[in-house]
Amino acid sequence: MNAGPAAPADCLTADGRVVRVRAVTAADMPALLALHEGTSAQNRYLRFFSAGAGLDAEVRRLTRPADEQHLALLVEHGDEVLAAGSYERVSTSEADFALLVHDAHHGEGLGTLLLEHLAAAARRQGVTALIGDVLAGNGAMLRVSRGVAPGVPRTSSDPGIVQVRIPTLPDEAALAAVDERDRTAEYQSLRPLLAPTSVVVIGAGRQPGGAGHEVLAALIAGRYDGELFAVNPRARNVCGLPALPSVALVGEQIDLAIVAVPGKAALDVLRDCCAAGVRAAVVLTSDLDEPVRTELVRMARRHGMRLVGPDSLGVLNTDPKVRLTATFAAALPPAGGLAVASQSGAIGVAILEAAARDGVGVSSFVSLGDKADVSGNDLLAYWHDDPATQAVALYLESFGNPRRFATVARAISRRKPVLAVKSGRHAAAASDSAVDALFRQAGVIRTDTLGELLDTARVLVGQPLPAGGRLAVVGNARGLNVLAADTATAAGLTLATFGAATTDRLRRLIPDGQDHGNPVDLGTAGTAESIAGAVRLVAASGEADLLVVTFAATRTNDSTATLRALAAAADAVPDLPVAVVAVGVPDTPAALGRRKVPVYQLPEPAVHALGRAVQYAAWQRAPLGGRPVLPGVDAAAARDIVGTALRGGGGWQPAGIARQLLRAYGIPVLDAHLADGVAAAVAVAAGLGYPVAVTAAAPGQRPGGAVRLGLVDAAAVRHACHLIGASLGEDDPAVMVERMASPGVELRAGITHDPLFGSLVTVGVGGPAELHGEPVLRLLPVTDQDAATMWRSLRSAPLLTGHAGDAPADTDALENLLLRLGRLAVDLPDVAELALDPVLAGPSGCVAVDVRLRLSAVGSEPDPYLRDLLHRPSINGNREPNQ
């Protein structure tokens, strides 16, 4: 188990302030004594059951060095200690906790933060529950405990005292409560950034062309609704505003500072902003080295400021009550429902330009730059409850905390779609597979290009979600109709089949000789009335979930009247997703009608966009999944196994240790018998009875040929041992001999550990990847829905459901195995690699034949259950927030 105090963590309070949670040291004794002496008598009574408790003794207890039995944490803001908490171990599995929050800071969520961090630290020490006696009149503490462990019953043995129990591993209800607190705090934290009541632009030059001047000019041109100030010590006015020599002379509370000064001057400017109490800053300055970026964040965090950048393009908020255009991007899109975050400034420019060209309305835009503080995760939490945002578009180059991204993105995706372009598909395949798994679990719509992202956003913003995947195509352009129909299969759609009544009505509407099936071809002679009538008819039939309307303008038709008629027809069917493909139309509009039906230049992008909308809608309708109770799990025994092995040096473990660990989690594994050489293997096999399996006994990676199955006699066992020895470079290898399980599909399952993504659960079909496809990955925690979709996502999934007359495998048992692997990975992050290869999945269940286990003490990867803004390495090797 991991020893030592928890690492410091920068966290958000309920009202969005930044505070630090860290371990207590001996140097904190004066501050802790001041905290206790500064609390009211009533507060001390509720904490100590006595207003006259011995404060000196309590402070000495808190400042005792942390060890496996004791830990004390405090919350500080600047130099002030606001709260303190601790636990003392009282048994192998339980520790007694205590909290004290200064009276002036009640209601800010500090007790909840302390309890979350104490629980995480205790969990790393093998403690399964924090316990405490709370006075029945201490309503605040009881609310805190209910918030951290909702649904956990409280008991009472003495009148007036409630015994509280907090499991250190949060269940689904507890995680949901954490997520809600996180979103609330993030929303409050980012309001000064995205809805500021006052803005100061620092470094706004007198001449056009500089970033500061252009941002100030954009704010004025955009009619920013709040107070606006300019700072330039060398100018008297800029863009018609008086220029102040310093932010300190503004004389008012400033929500947002735009920092547009050269190089390391940004440090001095941010220092002035901190002293002036500025609540958020966007740093446009670029090319700052790592020490400068680190110092910027350190200052901002110490003073409770949120920071975007450095190297940011700026921020937008098109809300008419805000009208924030704090960016030097040239193209500004109209107001609308798409929120955009881009890590790249150039990509941000491209998105804004394309959005303006295609009429995609934007609610807000944030150019993240170097992501020194504010990240995509923060913005997702903010946009979750933003009523102006109907969909989110992300361009990401790296992740700081993918598991937090999965949690935040999954929550918002249940409300509104999230689209993402993640650069780096050229990187290692394993990393890209992990990104795909991350997006799939979170319901994120991944596109390969920015064009695809915006095409898809246009059918999601302001449009209803599809009820299914039945596509109807209507239009006067036969060739475009055919292309749209041909694209349907590749987009995951099916062509709708019309019933006799619909076909008969279409026959009366369509000229002779034209198709009245699907696609519906109205011919070049089709009028505005006939095209609109066909749209209404197909929509009213209820036999299509999606509609693509094609229109080719010629000299013989009235394109203006036709588009007007199409707009009216689409507005009349607001529950049906519609896309229009128009060619040959002068000045083609980007959208039609009140509902802004998107207009495309070609059918393929339109159909693929609708296909992505269908996939997202299906994900949103599907159950979110949960983590079922798994009987027969002995987590305490498993922790003892891993702890003992780590004290022995970790690394690859003997087969017996690996099997013990699996059995502790109720994962079926064949009984194996160690045979020290070929002769011993033959004797063991004879005693077990044939057929048998023989695997290499040596710990570590298995070369090809180190597992031999279905051996039916002594000669086969000898031959298998010689082959295994040859693969290992040994003449007479030690092997494990097992009685063969019932025949089944050979699978590979296990846990792999990624320094960025953490532990991943995997499953694949044995054999070459070119035949069966790559393994399927899932991040933690693995839900029952995840387990069900994992094996169904395999290319060779039909092998498990009955293939060529074979009996189907017990897929319930397979899902149970995957769930147990997921639970093992959550409980034991020190499992660096666990490979079950093969797993035989047959009609009577699933069983692992060979097992390999590697242990390595987990490093500084983020705790997936903690709210923490601190830095850690990113996927690209840069430093970025743990978010």
Side-chain angles (χ1 to χ4, degrees):
M1 298 297 104
N2 298 312
D10 288 335
C11 306
L12 296 176
T13 64
D15 58 358
R17 283 194 310 147
V18 180
V19 294
R20 172 160 286 197
V21 178
R22 65 168 175 84
V24 168
T25 69
D28 296 314
M29 186 173 288
L32 288 170
L33 188 59
L35 167 69
H36 284 75
E37 291 176 342
T39 58
S40 65
Q42 175 66 9
N43 198 357
R44 290 199 298 273
Y45 172 76
L46 293 175
R47 160 63 184 90
F48 298 105
F49 296 18
S50 168
L55 300 185
D56 289 343
E58 171 66 3
V59 170
R60 285 196 298 273
R61 183 187 71 81
L62 291 174
T63 53
R64 198 171 77 242
D67 55 30
E68 293 183 356
Q69 307 300 316
H70 157 86
L71 176 66
L73 301 176
L74 60 77
V75 180
E76 63 184 0
H77 179 66
D79 295 324
E80 182 184 5
V81 174
L82 313 180
S86 65
Y87 72 71
E88 304 287 346
R89 200 163 192 157
V90 295
S91 70
T92 302
S93 60
E94 293 182 334
D96 187 75
F97 76 92
L99 304 177
L100 180 70
V101 179
H102 193 282
D103 300 62
H105 299 285
H106 284 189
E108 296 177 5
L110 304 186
T112 301
L113 276 175
L114 279 171
L115 202 46
E116 289 173 1
H117 284 260
L118 286 169
R123 183 172 64 248
R124 290 191 293 269
Q125 299 295 343
V127 174
T128 60
L130 298 178
I131 59 173
D133 290 342
V134 180
L135 287 173
N138 193 348
M141 187 63 244
L142 292 174
R143 285 192 296 274
V144 167
S145 65
R146 281 196 297 269
V148 176
V152 176
R154 275 65 176 155
T155 60
S156 179
S157 57
D158 296 323
I161 295 178
V162 178
Q163 294 173 330
V164 171
R165 181 180 180 86
I166 309 292
T168 59
L169 182 65
D171 61 12
E172 290 176 46
L175 289 177
V178 170
D179 294 343
E180 184 175 355
R181 290 192 291 269
D182 186 42
R183 289 193 299 270
T184 300
E186 288 283 11
Y187 189 83
Q188 295 300 324
S189 174
L190 295 186
R191 279 191 63 79
L193 171 71
L194 289 171
T197 59
S198 55
V199 175
V200 59
V201 181
I202 306 172
R206 287 168 290 189
Q207 300 301 317
H213 180 100
E214 296 303 327
V215 168
L216 185 60
L219 284 164
I220 294 172
R223 298 181 295 118
Y224 169 61
D225 195 54
E227 295 289 327
L228 184 58
F229 305 92
V231 169
N232 185 335
R234 299 183 182 86
R236 302 189 64 174
N237 68 77
V238 180
C239 296
L241 286 180
L244 301 170
S246 167
V247 68
L249 299 178
V250 170
E252 296 185 25
Q253 172 67 55
I254 296 295
D255 276 349
L256 176 62
I258 308 297
V259 179
V261 297
K264 294 184 179 180
L267 276 176
D268 294 330
V269 167
L270 200 73
R271 190 173 292 110
D272 291 342
C273 289
C274 290
V278 175
R279 300 175 65 192
V282 177
V283 180
L284 310 183
T285 312
S286 60
D287 299 323
L288 297 180
D289 58 23
E290 177 65 18
V292 173
R293 292 199 300 268
T294 300
E295 180 61 15
L296 286 174
V297 175
R298 189 199 67 78
M299 283 193 299
R301 293 279 171 78
R302 182 171 175 79
H303 291 83
M305 177 193 294
R306 297 310 305 269
L307 187 70
V308 169
D311 200 16
S312 171
L313 186 72
V315 297
L316 290 174
N317 185 345
T318 62
D319 185 330
K321 296 179 181 178
V322 181
R323 296 195 299 268
L324 179 72
T325 52
T327 176
F328 56 97
L332 298 181
L338 183 67
V340 179
S342 174
Q343 196 169 341
S344 161
I347 298 299
V349 169
I351 292 175
L352 293 178
E353 182 182 29
R357 181 185 65 244
D358 295 336
V360 179
V362 169
S363 60
S364 53
F365 164 80
V366 179
S367 169
L368 292 165
D370 290 343
K371 293 205 303 183
D373 174 27
V374 174
S375 74
N377 291 349
D378 297 301
L379 293 171
L380 287 175
Y382 180 89
W383 287 326
H384 181 277
D385 294 314
D386 180 26
T389 295
Q390 300 173 29
V392 174
L394 305 173
Y395 174 79
L396 302 173
E397 295 174 349
S398 63
F399 293 100
N401 186 341
R403 287 170 69 175
R404 182 167 180 254
F405 176 90
T407 298
V408 177
R410 190 186 318 214
I412 189 174
S413 292
R414 303 303 287 191
R415 285 190 170 194
K416 54 191 79 171
V418 177
L419 305 100
V421 176
K422 166 64 176 71
S423 68
R425 281 192 186 265
H426 60 278
S431 295
D432 198 62
S433 297
V435 172
D436 267 336
L438 171 65
F439 285 167
R440 288 179 188 278
Q441 280 179 273
V444 174
I445 304 166
R446 184 177 189 178
T447 65
D448 290 328
T449 67
L450 288 176
E452 292 175 353
L453 183 147
L454 288 167
D455 286 339
T456 308
R458 297 173 68 196
V459 301
L460 289 169
V461 176
Q463 292 252 51
L465 287 178
R470 300 173 300 171
L471 173 68
V473 182
V474 173
N476 74 337
R478 181 182 181 87
L480 296 179
N481 290 350
V482 171
L483 286 175
D486 288 347
T487 308
T489 300
L493 305 175
T494 59
L495 285 178
T497 302
F498 298 140
T502 303
T503 302
D504 185 59
R505 294 188 184 98
L506 286 170
R507 185 180 292 111
R508 292 196 295 269
L509 185 68
I510 298 172
D512 291 340
Q514 303 301 325
D515 293 334
H516 50 263
N518 188 16
V520 179
D521 181 16
L522 296 163
T524 56
T527 65
E529 292 76 15
S530 65
I531 296 176
V535 168
R536 288 191 293 269
L537 196 158
V538 169
S541 73
E543 294 167 340
D545 303 308
L546 309 147
L547 178 60
V548 169
V549 183
T550 67
F551 173 65
T554 68
R555 289 178 178 269
T556 63
N557 56 32
D558 186 340
S559 60
T560 301
T562 301
L563 293 181
R564 188 184 306 118
L566 281 178
D571 283 341
V573 288
D575 296 329
L576 182 69
V578 179
V580 173
V581 179
V583 299
V585 177
D587 300 322
T588 306
L592 298 177
R594 294 188 305 274
R595 59 182 283 194
K596 298 187 182 303
V597 171
V599 178
Y600 297 86
Q601 295 179 341
L602 295 170
E604 295 91 341
V607 174
H608 279 293
L610 289 170
R612 295 185 194 99
V614 167
Q615 292 171 11
Y616 167 72
W619 178 89
Q620 195 183 61
R621 285 192 300 268
L624 191 55
R627 292 182 292 166
V629 175
L630 301 173
V633 171
D634 190 345
R639 281 192 293 268
D640 288 343
I641 293 168
V642 171
T644 300
L646 286 173
R647 287 190 292 273
W652 288 106
Q653 298 299 305
I657 298 296
R659 282 173 162 77
Q660 285 181 40
L661 191 62
L662 290 189
R663 292 190 178 101
Y665 279 86
I667 298 172
V669 58
L670 291 181
D671 289 330
H673 303 265
L674 178 63
D676 191 12
V678 176
V682 171
V684 170
L688 292 174
Y690 294 101
V692 297
V694 175
T695 64
Q701 296 282 10
R702 297 283 194 266
V707 177
R708 297 287 168 173
L709 306 178
L711 308 178
V712 297
D713 55 29
V717 170
R718 291 190 191 93
H719 182 62
C721 290
H722 289 310
L723 292 176
I724 291 172
S727 69
L728 298 173
E730 300 178 14
D731 292 331
D732 195 19
V735 295
M736 306 298 292
V737 184
E738 304 153 86
R739 179 68 186 268
M740 273 296 296
S742 301
V745 179
E746 289 189 26
L747 303 175
R748 295 169 292 165
I751 298 167
T752 183
H753 193 273
D754 183 280
L756 176 68
F757 290 86
S759 297
L760 302 167
V761 175
T762 74
V763 67
V765 177
E770 57 270 19
L771 176 62
H772 297 297
E774 296 294 333
V776 173
L777 311 176
R778 288 293 183 271
L779 281 76
L780 303 181
V782 176
T783 68
D784 50 4
Q785 186 73 8
D786 292 329
T789 58
M790 283 181 77
W791 69 264
R792 288 179 172 86
S793 301
L794 294 170
R795 183 192 297 176
S796 297
L799 295 176
L800 295 165
T801 56
H803 177 73
D806 293 336
D810 183 350
T811 53
D812 288 344
L814 176 57
E815 292 171 19
N816 185 267
L817 181 146
L818 295 173
L819 285 168
R820 289 175 183 274
L821 285 174
R823 171 69 187 278
L824 187 156
V826 166
D827 291 349
L828 304 170
D830 298 313
V831 172
E833 188 172 347
L834 178 63
L836 284 59
D837 184 9
V839 171
L840 295 180
S844 59
C846 295
V847 62
V849 176
D850 190 28
V851 187
R852 304 188 305 281
L853 170 67
R854 183 169 63 87
L855 299 176
S856 178
V858 71
S860 59
E861 66 181 41
D863 189 305
Y865 306 118
L866 282 183
R867 296 177 284 157
D868 178 3
L869 302 177
L870 277 178
H871 286 47
R872 67 181 304 275
S874 76
I875 192 171
N876 291 342
N878 302 318
R879 300 290 292 178
E880 67 176 60
N882 176 17
Q883 303 180 59

